[in-house]
Amino acid sequence: MNTEEPEIRKGLNGVVVDTTKVSKVNPETNSLLYRGYPVQELAEKCSFEEVAYLLWHGELPTDEQNEEFCKAERSQRALEPNVKKLIDLLPTSSHPMDVCRTAASAMGASHPKAEDSSREANLAKSISLFAAFPAVVAYDQRRRRGQDVVEPREDLDYSANFLYMTFGEEQPPAVVDAFKVSMVLYAEHSFNASTFTGRVITSTLADLHSAVTGAIGALKGPLHGGANEAVMDTFEEIGIRKEESKEDAAARAKSWMEDALAQKKKVMGFGHRVYKHGDSRVPTMKAALDAMVKHYERDEILGLYDGLQAAMQEAKDIQPNLDYPTGPAFHLMGFDTPTFTPLFVASRITGWTAHIMEQAEDNALIRPLSAYSGPDERHVGK
Ligand code: COA
């Protein structure tokens, strides 16, 4: 009989469950590679469409492939009438992530190849989810503001069109570029909780939309994607005062953080399960946030940002994660706070579906074991 206690790694912390060719996170060197390319380089030099293509195909597209891919993406951007009807049935008091989850599920239910999980069908499903999700996110924010759908424009790229459909007018190049950077940085991050959820669902041979729907559920939590919203809630709690100097805002933020840490609170936007010396994506997103602060002339936002970060560094030496600069950047662009995680969904659909296809192509059912800790065998006393 084996009397040894099994080793349990709570939260699968440090457990390597499979190999992947999609991305490599190296916490020692603070680096993140998508299919071998540093994410910073992709954010600087590539469109989000090229990055999506790279994640799915393993290589950046040639000009011709890119043209063909963009044509397919642009032709599938409109909100399906059935999906719009379904969204309209959901109360505006519901969280936008619930709307995303419902929309992904509905798109699967009405997909002509719903039960086909071949590589070809999965790729086609991934492109249509990628193309159509901005319309879901944009429309959901608009309907909450009492506004109607804005139809997509085929003459704009993914990022410019996303902002156009959300705000009803074209945004300046600086804003489009910062938004694109956020999309590229959010696209993929190896076996995080939502991606792993998607892989678990795929491992049962369930269809791609089921896996994406489950992944959206996992991303909703504040320990994962929901952190970008929680960062903004913190800024709001401290108080955003438009005319305040950067220094005064930083001082207020610093004392808020000191109080929060004295009360042993977890402050969202800081810390990471994998990176312990800083998140590789933060410097690139911080530069995009700086560009937004400059564009909108909102120095006080930077004051709050710096104040919180400095106090956290001093007290606990914990570094910000990607959600920390992204939250205030989305706020400055004009998104409502509950829309932040849906923006993450629109981006991460690319990484999720790349993993779903990888899992499907070399599948093993994911089914771990547990150590029983309940009562010993007993019997019903009647
Ligand atoms: N605020 C305050 N303290 C934090 C913290 C935070 N954001 N993140 C970690 N810590 C502290 C923990 O309280 C713990 O302290 P202790 O040893 O005194 O108990 C220590 O740092 C280690 O943290 P731990 O929770 O074990 O790390 P983890 O790897 O399990 O958790 C996160 C990683 C991401 C879940 C965690 O850092 C967190 O909750 N961050 C906030 C949520 C967030 O921003 N999520 C987005 C991730 S991209």
Side-chain angles (χ1 to χ4, degrees):
M1 202 176 85
N2 185 3
T3 51
E4 257 179 51
E5 288 286 319
E7 186 198 0
I8 293 171
R9 301 265 192 101
K10 271 280 215 204
L12 297 181
N13 200 347
V15 176
V16 179
V17 290
D18 206 343
T19 59
T20 180
K21 291 188 170 71
V22 183
S23 68
K24 180 178 178 183
V25 182
N26 187 341
E28 302 310 320
T29 54
N30 281 4
S31 74
L32 170 62
L33 309 176
Y34 294 174
R35 303 280 189 185
Y37 292 102
V39 70
Q40 299 83 345
E41 241 175 72
L42 295 169
E44 187 196 330
K45 298 185 176 165
C46 298
S47 67
F48 187 42
E49 292 89 321
E50 288 171 305
V51 172
Y53 187 100
L54 169 71
L55 289 170
W56 292 328
H57 295 274
E59 295 297 336
L60 283 165
T62 60
D63 288 347
E64 204 180 305
Q65 287 165 334
N66 191 36
E67 202 177 309
E68 197 186 318
F69 175 69
C70 289
K71 213 169 134 196
E73 186 269 319
R74 288 176 194 214
S75 68
Q76 298 181 65
R77 284 176 175 174
L79 193 59
E80 287 172 34
N82 283 352
V83 176
K84 180 179 180 298
K85 261 194 222 158
L86 199 57
I87 294 176
D88 287 335
L89 287 175
L90 300 173
T92 48
S93 56
S94 63
H95 193 283
M97 282 297 277
D98 298 348
V99 172
C100 289
R101 200 186 55 226
T102 305
S105 182
M107 287 176 189
S110 56
H111 198 282
K113 290 194 169 175
E115 299 308 320
D116 184 349
S117 291
S118 62
R119 161 99 192 162
E120 199 188 11
N122 275 350
L123 195 53
K125 289 177 186 180
S126 305
I127 296 173
S128 44
L129 272 169
F130 169 68
F133 234 79
V136 171
V137 178
Y139 175 55
D140 190 39
Q141 171 161 308
R142 290 185 68 79
R143 78 183 183 111
R144 288 164 196 273
R145 294 179 173 192
Q147 299 166 330
D148 211 347
V149 177
V150 172
E151 294 301 330
R153 272 185 40 193
E154 288 198 23
D155 60 318
L156 299 176
D157 75 3
Y158 175 97
S159 307
N161 176 63
F162 200 147
L163 294 169
Y164 171 74
M165 284 196 298
T166 308
F167 302 111
E169 49 192 43
E170 264 186 80
Q171 299 300 303
V175 179
V176 174
D177 193 55
F179 184 70
K180 181 210 77 173
V181 166
S182 75
M183 291 292 105
V184 172
L185 296 177
Y186 265 142
E188 163 55 15
H189 212 218
S190 77
F191 276 43
N192 54 82
S194 57
T195 301
F196 189 58
T197 303
R199 290 190 75 127
V200 170
I201 295 173
T202 304
S203 83
T204 71
L205 302 185
D207 63 286
L208 179 139
H209 284 85
S210 295
V212 168
T213 305
I216 293 173
L219 191 72
K220 184 181 175 187
L223 292 191
H224 190 9
N228 57 12
E229 295 177 30
V231 168
M232 213 52 229
D233 293 340
T234 300
F235 276 45
E236 301 278 6
E237 193 184 319
I238 298 167
I240 299 172
R241 301 179 187 161
K242 275 193 184 175
E243 304 308 326
E244 190 175 38
S245 74
K246 195 174 156 188
E247 292 69 28
D248 288 351
R252 285 193 305 111
K254 215 164 173 251
S255 79
W256 183 95
M257 180 65 99
E258 284 157 7
D259 282 353
L261 294 180
Q263 293 169 47
K264 305 233 169 294
K265 281 192 188 156
K266 264 212 171 158
V267 183
M268 301 294 130
F270 291 89
H272 199 276
R273 172 56 68 79
V274 180
Y275 297 116
K276 298 299 176 195
H277 319 291
D279 181 327
S280 60
R281 304 161 295 179
V282 166
T284 311
M285 194 59 219
K286 173 62 171 36
L289 171 63
D290 287 343
M292 292 301 87
V293 164
K294 193 164 166 224
H295 178 81
Y296 292 106
E297 299 179 11
R298 295 286 300 277
D299 260 12
E300 90 287 359
I301 293 283
L302 220 45
L304 295 175
Y305 185 99
D306 290 345
L308 287 173
Q309 184 181 347
M312 180 61 107
Q313 168 93 47
E314 217 170 273
K316 298 193 78 136
D317 196 21
I318 296 176
Q319 309 302 318
N321 57 53
L322 175 60
D323 292 313
Y324 190 57
T326 314
F330 285 158
H331 172 81
L332 289 174
M333 290 173 197
F335 288 103
D336 296 334
T337 302
T339 303
F340 293 1
T341 318
L343 294 171
F344 191 163
V345 170
S347 162
R348 187 58 65 85
I349 274 175
T350 57
W352 286 334
T353 49
H355 279 275
I356 288 167
M357 289 188 271
E358 186 177 67
Q359 179 71 36
E361 279 155 31
D362 184 19
N363 190 46
L365 176 69
I366 299 173
R367 202 300 187 191
L369 298 176
S370 55
Y372 179 67
S373 62
D376 284 341
E377 180 172 339
R378 52 187 167 162
H379 298 278
V380 179
K382 68 173 182 183

